[in-house]
Amino acid sequence: MAKMTVIFDRCKGCELCTTACPKHIVAIQHEKRNKEGVFTAYCTDDTACIGCAMCAMMCPDCAIVVEK
Amino acid sequence: MEKVLMKGNEALAEAAIRAGCKCFFGYPITPQTELSEYLSKQMPKRGGVFLQAESEVAAINMVLGAAATGTRVMTSSSSPGVSLKSEGISYIAGSDVPALIINVQRGGPGLGGIQPSQADYWQATKGLGHGDFHLIILAPNSVQEVVNLVSKAFELGETYRTPVMLLSDGLLGQMMEPVAFPDIQANEADKSGWAADGTKMARPHHIVNSLYIEANDLEEIVRRRYERYAKIEETETMAECYLTDDAEIVVTAFGATSRIVKSAVNKARAEGIKVGMFRPITLWPFPKKELNTACANAKAVLSVEMSMGQMIDDVKLALNCKLPVSFYGRTGGVIPTPNEVLDEIRKLNGGAQ
Amino acid sequence: MAVVFERPKSLCDVRLHYCAGCTHGIIHRLVCEVIDEMGLEGETVGVCPVGCSVFAYNYFNCDMIEAPHGRAPAVATGVKRAKPELTVFTYQGDGDLAAIGTAETVHAATRSENIVVIFVNNGTYGMTGGQMAPTTLPGQVTTTTPYGRDPKTAGYPVRVCEMLATLTGTSYAVRTAVDTVPHIRETKKAIRKAFEMQKAGKGFSIVEILSTCPSNWGLTPKESIKRLQEECIPYYPLGVYKDIDQEGGERK
């Protein structure tokens, strides 16, 4: 059981986290912009997250918190 | 008090150690080098830091770093080196940290010469780096006064959180005079409100900085600094008046030149000429009120400088064009003689005798 | 569930001003993670450069000093000499460190100043809008090399670690990158070693970190990472260039 949470207003939508995820379950959503006008990253499948925190390590903005 | 015979540069260095200076960063340049050499010998023995930097630019930035931690720190140089330091001095002023800068002036521009000069008056009082700021500029005229002003310089810098310059010259730096070192209580200001010396996890982090990207913020910071400058102008001016009470001619001079002028004034007095001397000790703030008082009975003013005429601008501004101000100076390292100055005084008194 | 990854405490909880995908943020975080793990926040003073990371003083929660352009190693020298008990690091870009501040960098190394230099190399002047930097690659187009950097007129790039490794005073010189998670882990290890060397009084350390500048490279963040891997790393090989620990602590 693991979970990655994107801090919505801190995400700049750079997509670097999407390249880091070994499970390929991080993507950019195109429904809601944050206060900076950015479509943010999210986890496409919470059940598949292994809590490795590679997405968070790649994030330049400390916009991802990982729990396990 | 016991007096010892010392070279100006070495006496200044000794006075700095006694005033609690903990760090010195410098670069060799004539005619200030004895100052660095003295400190290189003494600082390690007396719990201080001496470091010869790779350049004047590096030295002044080391001063910025040490000053930012709240440490009493100084650097010294001579004219071309001070030009290099001007970047760092602007940052020190903009960061509101105290530091002492010594300029043992020599002739310029460019590499100029290595003989005494006062041609850095404009640089010191008006142009020591970019931006809206001042330095407190102290200009002693004897080795003893150099010694007396060093601890004052550190204290002024810390009180007002500003860089202070002690403007010496090749004459004062190289001459030997008997000097006494008064017992100094090193009064250090409380720097705990701003010094970057580690939070110890007991306070918010301190930022020593001169960058304010919002124009309104920068204006506000500069205005607040100018409020401090106003207070300095009001309370910290220093000047010497010599036989000015009844003087019809007032000769203005600072630093080493004032000693030549004093001789000329004495000679002129012996001829019955009512002449006196006004010597600013603080060049910034310029002692405007004191000059006007000294010139209460004057009909003419003569500015004597080892330059082509720089302080004369401040003399004219201070007098607000009430009196004619003439100039006599030598430059390039040439030192005016008392007789040359006497001739100028005679001219103002109605012609040569 | 327990939190396994979050912002290090010594990184201020504010939004970084950097462009999307700029790797400065990763490097800030790694330095802060090391400061946290070593318990150094209360005794650390950082020195910021002029360049994109000029505002780093707003992000590092330790005491910070803003240096004139290129002078951070001199400012850090002043701090460390005045208060040797402090842990002192500079954070500098390539223009700051390898152009205008070359003398300060080289001489801090020759003196083996007991400081850590974090050197972010992205081959461009980011803050002023993408001009040629000392580390701009041959042929690279910038706003001041619009036809590509021609070494015949604009000179060759500076390889800083290789240069500093020749100096007796340099204790630790390492080049890493932040293009992948493994490389990010290596970068953190290098930063940690540099801070440990300072705590042990071993002298001058520099951690050169190959970084990206998507905005001024005119690439997306993902494309920038690809360029870093395909063009920058081959020109600036990763690795340890000097480590006095590996040389038995002897200076040669």
Side-chain angles (χ1 to χ4, degrees):
Chain A
M1 184 66 179
K3 190 180 171 211
M4 73 83 94
T5 311
V6 174
I7 304 168
F8 187 60
D9 282 325
R10 287 279 164 82
C11 176
K12 292 176 183 164
C14 73
E15 301 185 43
L16 292 188
C17 53
T18 67
T19 66
C21 179
K23 295 287 175 189
H24 309 290
I25 53 164
V26 183
I28 299 293
Q29 55 82 17
H30 291 277
E31 283 161 21
K32 197 180 168 206
R33 293 177 191 272
N34 69 11
K35 69 176 180 191
E36 306 291 335
V38 165
F39 287 125
T40 57
Y42 79 115
C43 181
T44 58
D45 181 2
D46 281 342
T47 60
C49 178
I50 55 170
C52 68
M54 286 169 80
C55 55
M57 269 182 260
M58 199 67 210
C59 175
D61 290 282
C62 273
I64 299 173
V65 177
V66 181
E67 293 160 283
K68 199 173 178 179
Chain B
M1 209 181 301
E2 194 197 343
K3 288 198 171 189
V4 284
L5 189 65
M6 274 183 103
K7 211 177 209 190
N9 282 337
E10 294 183 343
L12 198 165
E14 175 61 29
I17 297 174
R18 290 179 187 230
C21 178
K22 288 283 175 273
C23 288
F24 174 89
F25 303 100
Y27 186 84
I29 183 169
T30 308
Q32 69 77 51
T33 305
E34 298 86 357
L35 204 160
S36 308
E37 287 173 344
Y38 188 89
L39 289 171
S40 72
K41 216 178 280 172
Q42 294 293 329
M43 281 299 225
K45 286 198 264 181
R46 292 158 78 174
V49 171
F50 169 89
L51 180 59
Q52 181 170 322
E54 62 272 26
S55 69
E56 299 289 5
V57 176
I60 193 67
N61 282 289
M62 291 170 187
V63 168
L64 169 60
T69 68
T71 303
R72 208 167 253 200
V73 57
M74 71 181 246
T75 185
S76 72
S77 191
S78 179
S79 311
V82 174
S83 295
L84 285 170
K85 287 189 195 296
S86 64
E87 173 197 66
I89 293 171
S90 173
Y91 280 74
I92 289 169
S95 304
D96 294 318
V97 295
L100 178 58
I101 299 121
I102 313 293
N103 182 0
V104 185
Q105 293 169 94
R106 62 189 244 186
L111 212 43
I114 57 168
Q115 301 296 326
S117 167
Q118 297 181 319
D120 297 349
Y121 180 94
W122 279 337
Q123 184 196 48
T125 59
K126 318 207 187 294
L128 246 178
H130 60 282
D132 273 326
F133 75 97
H134 285 291
L135 266 72
I136 297 174
I137 311 291
L138 305 175
N141 78 341
S142 68
V143 176
Q144 185 65 59
E145 197 174 50
V146 166
V147 165
N148 296 347
L149 283 179
V150 169
S151 60
K152 173 92 180 164
F154 280 119
E155 282 169 21
L156 283 171
E158 289 173 5
T159 303
Y160 296 102
R161 291 180 60 186
T162 179
V164 177
M165 174 174 278
L166 203 143
L167 194 63
S168 178
D169 58 58
L171 202 57
L172 280 176
Q174 296 299 322
M175 67 162 51
M176 290 183 87
E177 285 190 307
V179 59
F181 290 93
D183 281 333
I184 298 166
Q185 295 294 325
N187 295 318
E188 289 218 27
D190 176 18
K191 297 153 187 167
S192 62
W194 56 266
D197 56 351
T199 64
K200 319 285 184 294
M201 304 306 275
R203 57 162 172 78
H205 70 156
H206 287 159
I207 300 171
V208 176
N209 172 40
S210 62
L211 175 65
Y212 298 89
I213 210 80
E214 294 292 338
N216 286 326
D217 293 350
L218 179 55
E219 186 186 46
E220 176 59 25
I221 289 283
V222 173
R223 277 190 195 283
R224 265 189 260 156
R225 202 170 289 128
Y226 269 70
E227 283 165 17
R228 294 210 302 280
Y229 292 159
K231 202 172 163 210
I232 296 170
E233 288 191 272
E234 202 182 299
T235 55
E236 304 295 353
T237 53
M238 286 187 279
E240 179 197 356
C241 296
Y242 180 68
L243 304 176
T244 52
D245 284 351
D246 65 340
E248 292 174 358
I249 300 168
V250 171
V251 186
T252 59
F254 72 96
T257 308
S258 67
R259 299 177 59 166
I260 297 154
V261 167
K262 202 175 252 185
S263 302
V265 165
N266 289 338
K267 288 184 178 196
R269 280 275 171 181
E271 294 176 8
I273 302 172
K274 286 186 173 175
V275 60
M277 181 189 77
F278 177 81
R279 173 172 76 96
I281 298 170
T282 51
L283 301 184
W284 193 91
F286 193 80
K288 296 176 196 164
K289 272 185 240 156
E290 294 88 334
L291 175 62
N292 277 281
T293 306
C295 292
N297 296 311
K299 296 188 176 72
V301 175
L302 170 68
S303 186
V304 179
E305 306 171 43
M306 284 194 282
S307 72
M308 291 302 287
Q310 300 191 4
M311 184 178 76
I312 187 173
D313 291 357
D314 281 339
V315 173
K316 285 178 180 172
L317 281 170
L319 293 172
N320 208 10
C321 301
K322 280 184 298 198
L323 291 169
V325 183
S326 55
F327 176 75
Y328 181 74
R330 300 298 300 270
T331 196
V334 182
I335 299 163
T337 66
N339 283 340
E340 289 169 20
V341 179
L342 177 62
D343 281 346
E344 295 300 312
I345 294 170
R346 284 172 180 153
K347 279 185 214 164
L348 287 172
N349 195 45
Q353 287 185 349
Chain C
M1 281 198 295
V3 172
V4 292
F5 191 100
E6 63 181 340
R7 162 186 300 273
K9 300 258 177 308
S10 57
L11 187 64
C12 298
D13 189 8
V14 293
R15 184 179 182 274
L16 306 177
H17 74 282
Y18 301 110
C19 304
C22 168
T23 42
H24 264 307
I26 299 175
I27 301 163
H28 281 23
R29 191 191 73 229
L30 296 178
V31 173
C32 287
E33 285 175 358
V34 168
I35 288 173
D36 281 8
E37 287 165 18
M38 292 177 69
L40 297 175
E41 184 185 329
E43 56 167 85
T44 296
V45 174
V47 184
C48 308
V50 173
C52 276
S53 48
V54 70
F55 298 116
Y57 53 74
N58 288 325
Y59 306 141
F60 290 98
N61 209 10
C62 54
D63 281 354
M64 297 297 290
I65 301 169
E66 215 307 288
H69 199 20
R71 317 300 176 216
V75 172
T77 297
V79 174
K80 190 71 183 181
R81 295 293 182 113
K83 305 264 178 192
E85 68 276 18
L86 295 174
T87 300
V88 183
F89 75 94
T90 71
Y91 189 103
Q92 302 175 259
D94 39 59
D96 191 88
L97 182 140
I100 195 166
T102 311
E104 285 77 6
T105 305
V106 166
H107 285 274
T110 61
R111 291 189 303 267
S112 206
E113 287 299 336
N114 195 23
I115 59 171
V116 172
V117 171
I118 305 293
F119 169 36
V120 180
N121 179 0
N122 64 6
T124 190
Y125 283 83
M127 181 65 111
T128 45
Q131 293 77 30
M132 183 188 76
T135 49
T136 293
L137 297 182
Q140 187 179 334
V141 172
T142 71
T143 61
T144 50
T145 51
Y147 312 111
R149 181 178 189 166
D150 179 359
K152 282 207 283 282
T153 54
Y156 291 91
V158 184
R159 289 188 177 98
V160 171
C161 274
E162 288 86 332
M163 177 176 73
L164 293 181
T166 66
L167 302 174
T168 307
T170 301
S171 303
Y172 181 49
V174 57
R175 184 181 293 122
T176 65
V178 285
D179 57 320
T180 62
V181 169
H183 279 164
I184 289 171
R185 286 202 176 101
E186 278 171 25
T187 301
K188 183 174 168 183
K189 238 170 77 184
I191 295 170
R192 168 114 193 182
K193 179 175 165 71
F195 274 83
E196 282 170 349
M197 287 186 81
Q198 180 175 166
K199 291 313 290 174
K202 289 181 181 170
F204 184 87
S205 294
I206 179 166
V207 183
E208 174 177 349
I209 302 159
L210 299 183
S211 187
T212 64
C213 182
S215 297
N216 288 303
W217 289 2
L219 301 172
T220 67
K222 283 203 274 192
E223 289 165 350
S224 297
I225 293 288
K226 196 160 169 265
R227 175 174 183 262
L228 180 64
Q229 292 165 341
E230 291 175 357
E231 296 180 32
C232 303
I233 292 176
Y235 200 93
Y236 296 111
L238 308 183
V240 177
Y241 286 85
K242 180 138 188 215
D243 179 359
I244 55 161
D245 286 344
Q246 297 301 312
E247 296 165 11
E250 291 291 313
R251 292 195 187 277
K252 286 166 192 157

